[in-house]
Amino acid sequence: HRYMLQLLSATAMAGSDRIVIAGAGLHGAALAYYLTKRGEKPLIVERHSVGAAASGKGGGFLARDWGSGPTIQLHRKSFELHAELAKELGIDSYRRLPVLSLTPGKRSKRTKNICPWLDGDGVADTRYMDQEGGAQVAPYELVTKLVEAAVAGGAELRIGAVEGIVKSDDASRVEAVTVDGEAVPCRAFAVTMGPWAALAQDWFDMPVPMTGIKSTSIVFKDDVNAVEPFALFCGEDDRYGTHLEVYPRASGEVYLCGIGGSEYVDGERLRAGEYPPGSVHADPARVKAAAAAFTSYSKRLGGEPSTVQACMRPCPPDAMPYMGRVPKFTNAYMSAGHNCWGILWAPVSGLAMSELIVDGQASCVDLRPFDPSRFAPKASVGTRGRKRGEEAVGEQW
C-alpha cells in the first residue's frame, strides 16, 4: 500500500482533482457526458473498446411506463432524457414506435394483420401492448456519441485495465486507481463496469453479488425497403424454444434477442476473468433456432441473419441496479447491474450519479432503493447491553 502511494509522483498528483470512471459502456459514457456539462473533465478507463459489451450489442428498446416500484422513476425520467439526447447529440436511430405482442401458432382468418412485415404462417395473432410509450435507439450509436461529446467537453478516454485502488491511510478515500500497474490519482472514482463490477467486491471489501447473463442476438438487414416501426414481443414458441423480442431499426436492421439458451455466469467466474469484455460469443444452435422462428413470422425479413453476436447483461439478485456512493468511502461510487433495462436507464443513471458526485446528492431521482451496500451484512441486533469498549460483555438486548 505505502509503496503504491510512493509511485504517485509530484507531476501525477497535479491531476488528482480528476474523476476517474471505470468502463466506457453506456453508463460510464453517460456519466462522463453529464459530468462535462458540469465543468468536470473526467478520465474514462476502458479495458477493451467503447461499447464493447451489451452497450454496443443490445436491442435498444425504451419503454416509458413499464417500471414498477422504485424503477418507475427511472423509466419515466430516462425516457424523457433519451428524447433530449437524440436532439443534443443527433442520434439518428432514435424514434418512437408502438409495441406489439405476437402469439406463435398457425395463421387463421382470425389473425389480426397489424404489422405489414408479419406475413408468415407462424403468426396466430397479434395485439397492441403499448401504442404511446415505446421508443428505440441503436445503443452503439448512442454510446459512441456520448463518449465523443464528453471528450469534446474535456474528458479523456484511456484504454487500459483497472486493477484496483489505492486507499488513504485511514481507508476512507480512494487516492488513486491502479490502471495497468500505474497509480492514477483521482478526486473521485466511479465503477460503471456492468457485470464486471463484480471485481469491485475485492477493491471495496463489500459484497457485490452479480450474475452475468450471457445471451445470443442476431440481426437481419433489409437493404431495399424501409422496415415499418413496430417493436415485437413474442410468446413462447415451443417449436424452437424461443421467446423472441424483435426491434426493427430506422437503418433497415432488424434486431432479435430472447433467443433462449442463456448462460448464467456467477460473480466468482466473472472475478476469475472467465469472460472478459469482448470475448462473449454466440451460440450457433440458438442462432439457427431464432432464425427459423423469425422466418416463420416474417417471410419478408427472415432467412439468414447478417450479424450473429452475444453479450452479457449484469443482474444483481434483486434485479435492481447498484447506484450510489460506496459505504466507508467518501469518494467512491458505483453505477452497474442495470439488467435488461441498462440502455433505457443509462441517461438517468449518468445524470443522477453526476449530481451525486458533484453536488453530494442526486436531485433528478431518488437513489436510496439502489444503495450499493444493500447486500452487505447488517449490524447484528442485541448490542444494547454492557460493553468493554467496543466488546459486548454479558447479556445483550
Side-chain angles (χ1 to χ4, degrees), residues 360-397:
Q361 183 175 349
S363 57
C364 64
V365 289
D366 180 4
L367 292 180
R368 287 176 296 178
F370 316 115
D371 183 357
S373 68
R374 63 185 182 271
F375 294 106
K378 304 299 181 183
S380 60
V381 297
T383 59
R384 293 177 293 175
R386 200 185 309 276
K387 290 182 174 57
R388 180 175 180 267
E390 295 297 320
E391 179 186 5
V393 179
E395 182 184 3
Q396 302 293 308
W397 62 88

PDB file of all heavy atoms in Angstrom, residues 360-397:
ATOM      1  N   GLY A 360     -23.195  16.136  -4.122  1.00  0.00           N
ATOM      2  CA  GLY A 360     -23.338  15.378  -2.898  1.00  0.00           C
ATOM      3  C   GLY A 360     -24.674  14.687  -2.753  1.00  0.00           C
ATOM      4  O   GLY A 360     -24.899  13.925  -1.810  1.00  0.00           O
ATOM      5  N   GLN A 361     -25.596  14.929  -3.694  1.00  0.00           N
ATOM      6  CA  GLN A 361     -26.919  14.306  -3.649  1.00  0.00           C
ATOM      7  C   GLN A 361     -27.546  14.351  -5.035  1.00  0.00           C
ATOM      8  O   GLN A 361     -27.428  15.354  -5.746  1.00  0.00           O
ATOM      9  CB  GLN A 361     -27.815  15.037  -2.650  1.00  0.00           C
ATOM     10  CG  GLN A 361     -29.196  14.415  -2.488  1.00  0.00           C
ATOM     11  CD  GLN A 361     -30.010  15.087  -1.394  1.00  0.00           C
ATOM     12  OE1 GLN A 361     -29.488  15.888  -0.620  1.00  0.00           O
ATOM     13  NE2 GLN A 361     -31.303  14.775  -1.325  1.00  0.00           N
ATOM     14  N   ALA A 362     -28.214  13.277  -5.416  1.00  0.00           N
ATOM     15  CA  ALA A 362     -28.934  13.254  -6.684  1.00  0.00           C
ATOM     16  C   ALA A 362     -30.264  13.968  -6.512  1.00  0.00           C
ATOM     17  O   ALA A 362     -30.956  13.775  -5.509  1.00  0.00           O
ATOM     18  CB  ALA A 362     -29.163  11.825  -7.153  1.00  0.00           C
ATOM     19  N   SER A 363     -30.634  14.778  -7.496  1.00  0.00           N
ATOM     20  CA  SER A 363     -31.896  15.511  -7.419  1.00  0.00           C
ATOM     21  C   SER A 363     -32.916  15.056  -8.453  1.00  0.00           C
ATOM     22  O   SER A 363     -34.116  15.256  -8.267  1.00  0.00           O
ATOM     23  CB  SER A 363     -31.647  17.014  -7.585  1.00  0.00           C
ATOM     24  OG  SER A 363     -30.976  17.284  -8.805  1.00  0.00           O
ATOM     25  N   CYS A 364     -32.476  14.400  -9.540  1.00  0.00           N
ATOM     26  CA  CYS A 364     -33.422  14.028 -10.600  1.00  0.00           C
ATOM     27  C   CYS A 364     -34.232  12.791 -10.240  1.00  0.00           C
ATOM     28  O   CYS A 364     -35.371  12.640 -10.695  1.00  0.00           O
ATOM     29  CB  CYS A 364     -32.690  13.838 -11.927  1.00  0.00           C
ATOM     30  SG  CYS A 364     -31.512  12.476 -11.959  1.00  0.00           S
ATOM     31  N   VAL A 365     -33.667  11.890  -9.426  1.00  0.00           N
ATOM     32  CA  VAL A 365     -34.372  10.696  -8.950  1.00  0.00           C
ATOM     33  C   VAL A 365     -33.872  10.360  -7.552  1.00  0.00           C
ATOM     34  O   VAL A 365     -32.838  10.863  -7.105  1.00  0.00           O
ATOM     35  CB  VAL A 365     -34.158   9.463  -9.875  1.00  0.00           C
ATOM     36  CG1 VAL A 365     -34.877   9.621 -11.198  1.00  0.00           C
ATOM     37  CG2 VAL A 365     -32.677   9.193 -10.090  1.00  0.00           C
ATOM     38  N   ASP A 366     -34.602   9.489  -6.887  1.00  0.00           N
ATOM     39  CA  ASP A 366     -34.235   9.033  -5.546  1.00  0.00           C
ATOM     40  C   ASP A 366     -33.390   7.760  -5.683  1.00  0.00           C
ATOM     41  O   ASP A 366     -33.879   6.728  -6.140  1.00  0.00           O
ATOM     42  CB  ASP A 366     -35.501   8.749  -4.741  1.00  0.00           C
ATOM     43  CG  ASP A 366     -35.224   8.268  -3.334  1.00  0.00           C
ATOM     44  OD1 ASP A 366     -34.040   8.225  -2.932  1.00  0.00           O
ATOM     45  OD2 ASP A 366     -36.194   7.926  -2.626  1.00  0.00           O
ATOM     46  N   LEU A 367     -32.122   7.828  -5.277  1.00  0.00           N
ATOM     47  CA  LEU A 367     -31.211   6.693  -5.430  1.00  0.00           C
ATOM     48  C   LEU A 367     -31.230   5.731  -4.240  1.00  0.00           C
ATOM     49  O   LEU A 367     -30.587   4.678  -4.299  1.00  0.00           O
ATOM     50  CB  LEU A 367     -29.777   7.201  -5.627  1.00  0.00           C
ATOM     51  CG  LEU A 367     -29.489   7.927  -6.940  1.00  0.00           C
ATOM     52  CD1 LEU A 367     -28.018   8.366  -6.987  1.00  0.00           C
ATOM     53  CD2 LEU A 367     -29.805   7.049  -8.145  1.00  0.00           C
ATOM     54  N   ARG A 368     -31.953   6.050  -3.189  1.00  0.00           N
ATOM     55  CA  ARG A 368     -31.887   5.223  -1.981  1.00  0.00           C
ATOM     56  C   ARG A 368     -32.236   3.747  -2.207  1.00  0.00           C
ATOM     57  O   ARG A 368     -31.588   2.868  -1.605  1.00  0.00           O
ATOM     58  CB  ARG A 368     -32.774   5.823  -0.899  1.00  0.00           C
ATOM     59  CG  ARG A 368     -32.204   7.096  -0.283  1.00  0.00           C
ATOM     60  CD  ARG A 368     -33.161   7.709   0.705  1.00  0.00           C
ATOM     61  NE  ARG A 368     -34.407   8.149   0.058  1.00  0.00           N
ATOM     62  CZ  ARG A 368     -35.427   8.695   0.719  1.00  0.00           C
ATOM     63  NH1 ARG A 368     -35.351   8.857   2.040  1.00  0.00           N
ATOM     64  NH2 ARG A 368     -36.506   9.078   0.059  1.00  0.00           N
ATOM     65  N   PRO A 369     -33.207   3.407  -3.071  1.00  0.00           N
ATOM     66  CA  PRO A 369     -33.510   1.978  -3.254  1.00  0.00           C
ATOM     67  C   PRO A 369     -32.385   1.190  -3.923  1.00  0.00           C
ATOM     68  O   PRO A 369     -32.420  -0.042  -3.917  1.00  0.00           O
ATOM     69  CB  PRO A 369     -34.761   1.990  -4.146  1.00  0.00           C
ATOM     70  CG  PRO A 369     -35.346   3.353  -3.984  1.00  0.00           C
ATOM     71  CD  PRO A 369     -34.183   4.262  -3.786  1.00  0.00           C
ATOM     72  N   PHE A 370     -31.404   1.893  -4.497  1.00  0.00           N
ATOM     73  CA  PHE A 370     -30.376   1.231  -5.288  1.00  0.00           C
ATOM     74  C   PHE A 370     -29.009   1.251  -4.601  1.00  0.00           C
ATOM     75  O   PHE A 370     -27.982   1.085  -5.240  1.00  0.00           O
ATOM     76  CB  PHE A 370     -30.301   1.896  -6.666  1.00  0.00           C
ATOM     77  CG  PHE A 370     -31.650   2.155  -7.271  1.00  0.00           C
ATOM     78  CD1 PHE A 370     -32.096   3.461  -7.504  1.00  0.00           C
ATOM     79  CD2 PHE A 370     -32.493   1.109  -7.584  1.00  0.00           C
ATOM     80  CE1 PHE A 370     -33.348   3.705  -8.038  1.00  0.00           C
ATOM     81  CE2 PHE A 370     -33.760   1.342  -8.121  1.00  0.00           C
ATOM     82  CZ  PHE A 370     -34.189   2.644  -8.344  1.00  0.00           C
ATOM     83  N   ASP A 371     -29.017   1.442  -3.292  1.00  0.00           N
ATOM     84  CA  ASP A 371     -27.806   1.534  -2.485  1.00  0.00           C
ATOM     85  C   ASP A 371     -26.846   0.373  -2.788  1.00  0.00           C
ATOM     86  O   ASP A 371     -27.229  -0.798  -2.646  1.00  0.00           O
ATOM     87  CB  ASP A 371     -28.205   1.503  -1.009  1.00  0.00           C
ATOM     88  CG  ASP A 371     -27.035   1.674  -0.056  1.00  0.00           C
ATOM     89  OD1 ASP A 371     -25.882   1.754  -0.524  1.00  0.00           O
ATOM     90  OD2 ASP A 371     -27.275   1.724   1.164  1.00  0.00           O
ATOM     91  N   PRO A 372     -25.609   0.653  -3.194  1.00  0.00           N
ATOM     92  CA  PRO A 372     -24.669  -0.436  -3.495  1.00  0.00           C
ATOM     93  C   PRO A 372     -24.360  -1.345  -2.315  1.00  0.00           C
ATOM     94  O   PRO A 372     -23.902  -2.472  -2.515  1.00  0.00           O
ATOM     95  CB  PRO A 372     -23.405   0.328  -3.933  1.00  0.00           C
ATOM     96  CG  PRO A 372     -23.883   1.651  -4.405  1.00  0.00           C
ATOM     97  CD  PRO A 372     -25.048   1.974  -3.515  1.00  0.00           C
ATOM     98  N   SER A 373     -24.618  -0.881  -1.087  1.00  0.00           N
ATOM     99  CA  SER A 373     -24.280  -1.685   0.087  1.00  0.00           C
ATOM    100  C   SER A 373     -25.454  -2.516   0.597  1.00  0.00           C
ATOM    101  O   SER A 373     -25.375  -3.089   1.684  1.00  0.00           O
ATOM    102  CB  SER A 373     -23.793  -0.770   1.218  1.00  0.00           C
ATOM    103  OG  SER A 373     -24.848   0.041   1.709  1.00  0.00           O
ATOM    104  N   ARG A 374     -26.523  -2.642  -0.182  1.00  0.00           N
ATOM    105  CA  ARG A 374     -27.733  -3.276   0.367  1.00  0.00           C
ATOM    106  C   ARG A 374     -27.562  -4.765   0.635  1.00  0.00           C
ATOM    107  O   ARG A 374     -28.390  -5.360   1.324  1.00  0.00           O
ATOM    108  CB  ARG A 374     -28.932  -3.020  -0.544  1.00  0.00           C
ATOM    109  CG  ARG A 374     -28.843  -3.611  -1.943  1.00  0.00           C
ATOM    110  CD  ARG A 374     -30.060  -3.178  -2.771  1.00  0.00           C
ATOM    111  NE  ARG A 374     -30.082  -3.742  -4.104  1.00  0.00           N
ATOM    112  CZ  ARG A 374     -29.514  -3.175  -5.163  1.00  0.00           C
ATOM    113  NH1 ARG A 374     -28.872  -2.028  -5.035  1.00  0.00           N
ATOM    114  NH2 ARG A 374     -29.590  -3.760  -6.353  1.00  0.00           N
ATOM    115  N   PHE A 375     -26.521  -5.383   0.071  1.00  0.00           N
ATOM    116  CA  PHE A 375     -26.296  -6.801   0.331  1.00  0.00           C
ATOM    117  C   PHE A 375     -25.197  -7.036   1.363  1.00  0.00           C
ATOM    118  O   PHE A 375     -24.819  -8.181   1.620  1.00  0.00           O
ATOM    119  CB  PHE A 375     -25.974  -7.542  -0.965  1.00  0.00           C
ATOM    120  CG  PHE A 375     -27.136  -7.576  -1.921  1.00  0.00           C
ATOM    121  CD1 PHE A 375     -27.138  -6.782  -3.064  1.00  0.00           C
ATOM    122  CD2 PHE A 375     -28.229  -8.382  -1.668  1.00  0.00           C
ATOM    123  CE1 PHE A 375     -28.219  -6.795  -3.930  1.00  0.00           C
ATOM    124  CE2 PHE A 375     -29.310  -8.407  -2.528  1.00  0.00           C
ATOM    125  CZ  PHE A 375     -29.309  -7.614  -3.666  1.00  0.00           C
ATOM    126  N   ALA A 376     -24.672  -5.961   1.939  1.00  0.00           N
ATOM    127  CA  ALA A 376     -23.670  -6.112   2.993  1.00  0.00           C
ATOM    128  C   ALA A 376     -24.335  -6.654   4.253  1.00  0.00           C
ATOM    129  O   ALA A 376     -25.506  -6.373   4.512  1.00  0.00           O
ATOM    130  CB  ALA A 376     -23.003  -4.769   3.282  1.00  0.00           C
ATOM    131  N   PRO A 377     -23.615  -7.448   5.028  1.00  0.00           N
ATOM    132  CA  PRO A 377     -24.201  -7.973   6.280  1.00  0.00           C
ATOM    133  C   PRO A 377     -24.661  -6.827   7.175  1.00  0.00           C
ATOM    134  O   PRO A 377     -23.956  -5.826   7.350  1.00  0.00           O
ATOM    135  CB  PRO A 377     -23.031  -8.739   6.915  1.00  0.00           C
ATOM    136  CG  PRO A 377     -22.115  -9.056   5.785  1.00  0.00           C
ATOM    137  CD  PRO A 377     -22.237  -7.919   4.819  1.00  0.00           C
ATOM    138  N   LYS A 378     -25.845  -6.972   7.707  1.00  0.00           N
ATOM    139  CA  LYS A 378     -26.377  -5.944   8.585  1.00  0.00           C
ATOM    140  C   LYS A 378     -25.775  -6.064   9.981  1.00  0.00           C
ATOM    141  O   LYS A 378     -25.391  -7.156  10.407  1.00  0.00           O
ATOM    142  CB  LYS A 378     -27.903  -6.052   8.673  1.00  0.00           C
ATOM    143  CG  LYS A 378     -28.607  -5.992   7.329  1.00  0.00           C
ATOM    144  CD  LYS A 378     -28.328  -4.672   6.618  1.00  0.00           C
ATOM    145  CE  LYS A 378     -29.069  -4.621   5.283  1.00  0.00           C
ATOM    146  NZ  LYS A 378     -28.750  -3.386   4.542  1.00  0.00           N
ATOM    147  N   ALA A 379     -25.696  -4.934  10.655  1.00  0.00           N
ATOM    148  CA  ALA A 379     -25.207  -4.960  12.031  1.00  0.00           C
ATOM    149  C   ALA A 379     -26.126  -5.858  12.859  1.00  0.00           C
ATOM    150  O   ALA A 379     -27.350  -5.802  12.739  1.00  0.00           O
ATOM    151  CB  ALA A 379     -25.185  -3.550  12.601  1.00  0.00           C
ATOM    152  N   SER A 380     -25.532  -6.682  13.660  1.00  0.00           N
ATOM    153  CA  SER A 380     -26.329  -7.630  14.435  1.00  0.00           C
ATOM    154  C   SER A 380     -27.149  -6.907  15.496  1.00  0.00           C
ATOM    155  O   SER A 380     -26.749  -5.879  16.018  1.00  0.00           O
ATOM    156  CB  SER A 380     -25.406  -8.648  15.105  1.00  0.00           C
ATOM    157  OG  SER A 380     -24.490  -7.992  15.968  1.00  0.00           O
ATOM    158  N   VAL A 381     -28.324  -7.450  15.749  1.00  0.00           N
ATOM    159  CA  VAL A 381     -29.175  -6.873  16.785  1.00  0.00           C
ATOM    160  C   VAL A 381     -28.703  -7.377  18.145  1.00  0.00           C
ATOM    161  O   VAL A 381     -27.899  -8.291  18.248  1.00  0.00           O
ATOM    162  CB  VAL A 381     -30.646  -7.240  16.551  1.00  0.00           C
ATOM    163  CG1 VAL A 381     -31.131  -6.672  15.251  1.00  0.00           C
ATOM    164  CG2 VAL A 381     -30.821  -8.759  16.580  1.00  0.00           C
ATOM    165  N   GLY A 382     -29.230  -6.793  19.182  1.00  0.00           N
ATOM    166  CA  GLY A 382     -28.853  -7.234  20.515  1.00  0.00           C
ATOM    167  C   GLY A 382     -27.509  -6.697  20.942  1.00  0.00           C
ATOM    168  O   GLY A 382     -26.656  -7.456  21.421  1.00  0.00           O
ATOM    169  N   THR A 383     -27.270  -5.412  20.763  1.00  0.00           N
ATOM    170  CA  THR A 383     -25.985  -4.817  21.147  1.00  0.00           C
ATOM    171  C   THR A 383     -26.190  -3.647  22.095  1.00  0.00           C
ATOM    172  O   THR A 383     -25.393  -2.719  22.123  1.00  0.00           O
ATOM    173  CB  THR A 383     -25.220  -4.338  19.897  1.00  0.00           C
ATOM    174  OG1 THR A 383     -26.037  -3.380  19.200  1.00  0.00           O
ATOM    175  CG2 THR A 383     -24.908  -5.488  18.967  1.00  0.00           C
ATOM    176  N   ARG A 384     -27.282  -3.705  22.862  1.00  0.00           N
ATOM    177  CA  ARG A 384     -27.580  -2.584  23.749  1.00  0.00           C
ATOM    178  C   ARG A 384     -27.233  -2.879  25.211  1.00  0.00           C
ATOM    179  O   ARG A 384     -27.599  -2.126  26.110  1.00  0.00           O
ATOM    180  CB  ARG A 384     -29.062  -2.205  23.630  1.00  0.00           C
ATOM    181  CG  ARG A 384     -29.406  -1.640  22.256  1.00  0.00           C
ATOM    182  CD  ARG A 384     -30.880  -1.337  22.154  1.00  0.00           C
ATOM    183  NE  ARG A 384     -31.676  -2.566  22.194  1.00  0.00           N
ATOM    184  CZ  ARG A 384     -33.012  -2.575  22.214  1.00  0.00           C
ATOM    185  NH1 ARG A 384     -33.687  -1.441  22.233  1.00  0.00           N
ATOM    186  NH2 ARG A 384     -33.668  -3.720  22.246  1.00  0.00           N
ATOM    187  N   GLY A 385     -26.498  -3.967  25.454  1.00  0.00           N
ATOM    188  CA  GLY A 385     -26.114  -4.304  26.825  1.00  0.00           C
ATOM    189  C   GLY A 385     -24.782  -3.691  27.223  1.00  0.00           C
ATOM    190  O   GLY A 385     -24.271  -2.759  26.593  1.00  0.00           O
ATOM    191  N   ARG A 386     -24.165  -4.268  28.291  1.00  0.00           N
ATOM    192  CA  ARG A 386     -22.893  -3.757  28.802  1.00  0.00           C
ATOM    193  C   ARG A 386     -21.761  -4.001  27.802  1.00  0.00           C
ATOM    194  O   ARG A 386     -21.722  -5.038  27.140  1.00  0.00           O
ATOM    195  CB  ARG A 386     -22.590  -4.442  30.137  1.00  0.00           C
ATOM    196  CG  ARG A 386     -21.583  -3.697  31.003  1.00  0.00           C
ATOM    197  CD  ARG A 386     -21.261  -4.508  32.242  1.00  0.00           C
ATOM    198  NE  ARG A 386     -22.455  -4.967  32.965  1.00  0.00           N
ATOM    199  CZ  ARG A 386     -23.105  -4.227  33.842  1.00  0.00           C
ATOM    200  NH1 ARG A 386     -22.715  -2.977  34.091  1.00  0.00           N
ATOM    201  NH2 ARG A 386     -24.164  -4.729  34.478  1.00  0.00           N
ATOM    202  N   LYS A 387     -20.848  -3.040  27.708  1.00  0.00           N
ATOM    203  CA  LYS A 387     -19.713  -3.167  26.794  1.00  0.00           C
ATOM    204  C   LYS A 387     -18.416  -2.824  27.511  1.00  0.00           C
ATOM    205  O   LYS A 387     -18.394  -2.020  28.440  1.00  0.00           O
ATOM    206  CB  LYS A 387     -19.888  -2.259  25.569  1.00  0.00           C
ATOM    207  CG  LYS A 387     -20.997  -2.704  24.619  1.00  0.00           C
ATOM    208  CD  LYS A 387     -21.063  -1.784  23.413  1.00  0.00           C
ATOM    209  CE  LYS A 387     -22.058  -2.315  22.388  1.00  0.00           C
ATOM    210  NZ  LYS A 387     -23.406  -2.494  22.943  1.00  0.00           N
ATOM    211  N   ARG A 388     -17.356  -3.465  27.039  1.00  0.00           N
ATOM    212  CA  ARG A 388     -15.992  -3.105  27.454  1.00  0.00           C
ATOM    213  C   ARG A 388     -15.309  -2.523  26.234  1.00  0.00           C
ATOM    214  O   ARG A 388     -14.802  -3.239  25.393  1.00  0.00           O
ATOM    215  CB  ARG A 388     -15.256  -4.340  27.958  1.00  0.00           C
ATOM    216  CG  ARG A 388     -13.829  -4.067  28.419  1.00  0.00           C
ATOM    217  CD  ARG A 388     -13.234  -5.345  29.027  1.00  0.00           C
ATOM    218  NE  ARG A 388     -11.872  -5.135  29.482  1.00  0.00           N
ATOM    219  CZ  ARG A 388     -10.786  -5.379  28.732  1.00  0.00           C
ATOM    220  NH1 ARG A 388     -10.929  -5.864  27.494  1.00  0.00           N
ATOM    221  NH2 ARG A 388      -9.578  -5.165  29.212  1.00  0.00           N
ATOM    222  N   GLY A 389     -15.394  -1.186  26.104  1.00  0.00           N
ATOM    223  CA  GLY A 389     -15.005  -0.549  24.862  1.00  0.00           C
ATOM    224  C   GLY A 389     -16.017  -0.900  23.791  1.00  0.00           C
ATOM    225  O   GLY A 389     -17.230  -0.643  23.964  1.00  0.00           O
ATOM    226  N   GLU A 390     -15.584  -1.513  22.703  1.00  0.00           N
ATOM    227  CA  GLU A 390     -16.486  -1.956  21.643  1.00  0.00           C
ATOM    228  C   GLU A 390     -16.917  -3.404  21.815  1.00  0.00           C
ATOM    229  O   GLU A 390     -17.723  -3.914  21.054  1.00  0.00           O
ATOM    230  CB  GLU A 390     -15.811  -1.775  20.267  1.00  0.00           C
ATOM    231  CG  GLU A 390     -15.537  -0.329  19.886  1.00  0.00           C
ATOM    232  CD  GLU A 390     -16.822   0.486  19.757  1.00  0.00           C
ATOM    233  OE1 GLU A 390     -17.810  -0.069  19.221  1.00  0.00           O
ATOM    234  OE2 GLU A 390     -16.823   1.652  20.194  1.00  0.00           O
ATOM    235  N   GLU A 391     -16.372  -4.074  22.804  1.00  0.00           N
ATOM    236  CA  GLU A 391     -16.640  -5.500  23.016  1.00  0.00           C
ATOM    237  C   GLU A 391     -17.883  -5.685  23.886  1.00  0.00           C
ATOM    238  O   GLU A 391     -17.968  -5.142  24.998  1.00  0.00           O
ATOM    239  CB  GLU A 391     -15.444  -6.165  23.676  1.00  0.00           C
ATOM    240  CG  GLU A 391     -15.668  -7.658  23.942  1.00  0.00           C
ATOM    241  CD  GLU A 391     -14.518  -8.251  24.735  1.00  0.00           C
ATOM    242  OE1 GLU A 391     -13.619  -7.477  25.140  1.00  0.00           O
ATOM    243  OE2 GLU A 391     -14.533  -9.468  24.972  1.00  0.00           O
ATOM    244  N   ALA A 392     -18.866  -6.444  23.357  1.00  0.00           N
ATOM    245  CA  ALA A 392     -20.069  -6.735  24.153  1.00  0.00           C
ATOM    246  C   ALA A 392     -19.719  -7.674  25.291  1.00  0.00           C
ATOM    247  O   ALA A 392     -19.010  -8.667  25.109  1.00  0.00           O
ATOM    248  CB  ALA A 392     -21.130  -7.368  23.250  1.00  0.00           C
ATOM    249  N   VAL A 393     -20.220  -7.362  26.499  1.00  0.00           N
ATOM    250  CA  VAL A 393     -19.947  -8.165  27.691  1.00  0.00           C
ATOM    251  C   VAL A 393     -21.276  -8.470  28.364  1.00  0.00           C
ATOM    252  O   VAL A 393     -22.043  -7.572  28.683  1.00  0.00           O
ATOM    253  CB  VAL A 393     -19.002  -7.430  28.668  1.00  0.00           C
ATOM    254  CG1 VAL A 393     -18.765  -8.289  29.905  1.00  0.00           C
ATOM    255  CG2 VAL A 393     -17.684  -7.106  27.999  1.00  0.00           C
ATOM    256  N   GLY A 394     -21.547  -9.743  28.607  1.00  0.00           N
ATOM    257  CA  GLY A 394     -22.779 -10.113  29.279  1.00  0.00           C
ATOM    258  C   GLY A 394     -23.966 -10.146  28.334  1.00  0.00           C
ATOM    259  O   GLY A 394     -23.832 -10.118  27.101  1.00  0.00           O
ATOM    260  N   GLU A 395     -25.143 -10.172  28.910  1.00  0.00           N
ATOM    261  CA  GLU A 395     -26.374 -10.260  28.123  1.00  0.00           C
ATOM    262  C   GLU A 395     -26.578  -9.017  27.273  1.00  0.00           C
ATOM    263  O   GLU A 395     -26.336  -7.901  27.725  1.00  0.00           O
ATOM    264  CB  GLU A 395     -27.571 -10.456  29.061  1.00  0.00           C
ATOM    265  CG  GLU A 395     -28.879 -10.614  28.305  1.00  0.00           C
ATOM    266  CD  GLU A 395     -30.057 -10.715  29.263  1.00  0.00           C
ATOM    267  OE1 GLU A 395     -29.836 -10.609  30.488  1.00  0.00           O
ATOM    268  OE2 GLU A 395     -31.187 -10.890  28.784  1.00  0.00           O
ATOM    269  N   GLN A 396     -27.010  -9.246  26.054  1.00  0.00           N
ATOM    270  CA  GLN A 396     -27.292  -8.134  25.124  1.00  0.00           C
ATOM    271  C   GLN A 396     -28.761  -8.177  24.724  1.00  0.00           C
ATOM    272  O   GLN A 396     -29.375  -9.242  24.685  1.00  0.00           O
ATOM    273  CB  GLN A 396     -26.386  -8.217  23.881  1.00  0.00           C
ATOM    274  CG  GLN A 396     -24.904  -8.200  24.188  1.00  0.00           C
ATOM    275  CD  GLN A 396     -24.430  -6.883  24.747  1.00  0.00           C
ATOM    276  OE1 GLN A 396     -24.689  -5.822  24.155  1.00  0.00           O
ATOM    277  NE2 GLN A 396     -23.727  -6.946  25.887  1.00  0.00           N
ATOM    278  N   TRP A 397     -29.334  -7.042  24.434  1.00  0.00           N
ATOM    279  CA  TRP A 397     -30.743  -6.982  24.036  1.00  0.00           C
ATOM    280  C   TRP A 397     -30.974  -5.868  23.029  1.00  0.00           C
ATOM    281  O   TRP A 397     -30.109  -5.058  22.768  1.00  0.00           O
ATOM    282  CB  TRP A 397     -31.623  -6.807  25.274  1.00  0.00           C
ATOM    283  CG  TRP A 397     -31.356  -5.541  26.028  1.00  0.00           C
ATOM    284  CD1 TRP A 397     -31.935  -4.338  25.815  1.00  0.00           C
ATOM    285  CD2 TRP A 397     -30.427  -5.356  27.085  1.00  0.00           C
ATOM    286  NE1 TRP A 397     -31.431  -3.397  26.658  1.00  0.00           N
ATOM    287  CE2 TRP A 397     -30.499  -4.010  27.465  1.00  0.00           C
ATOM    288  CE3 TRP A 397     -29.521  -6.200  27.748  1.00  0.00           C
ATOM    289  CZ2 TRP A 397     -29.711  -3.471  28.487  1.00  0.00           C
ATOM    290  CZ3 TRP A 397     -28.759  -5.661  28.759  1.00  0.00           C
ATOM    291  CH2 TRP A 397     -28.855  -4.323  29.129  1.00  0.00           C
TER     292      TRP A 397
END
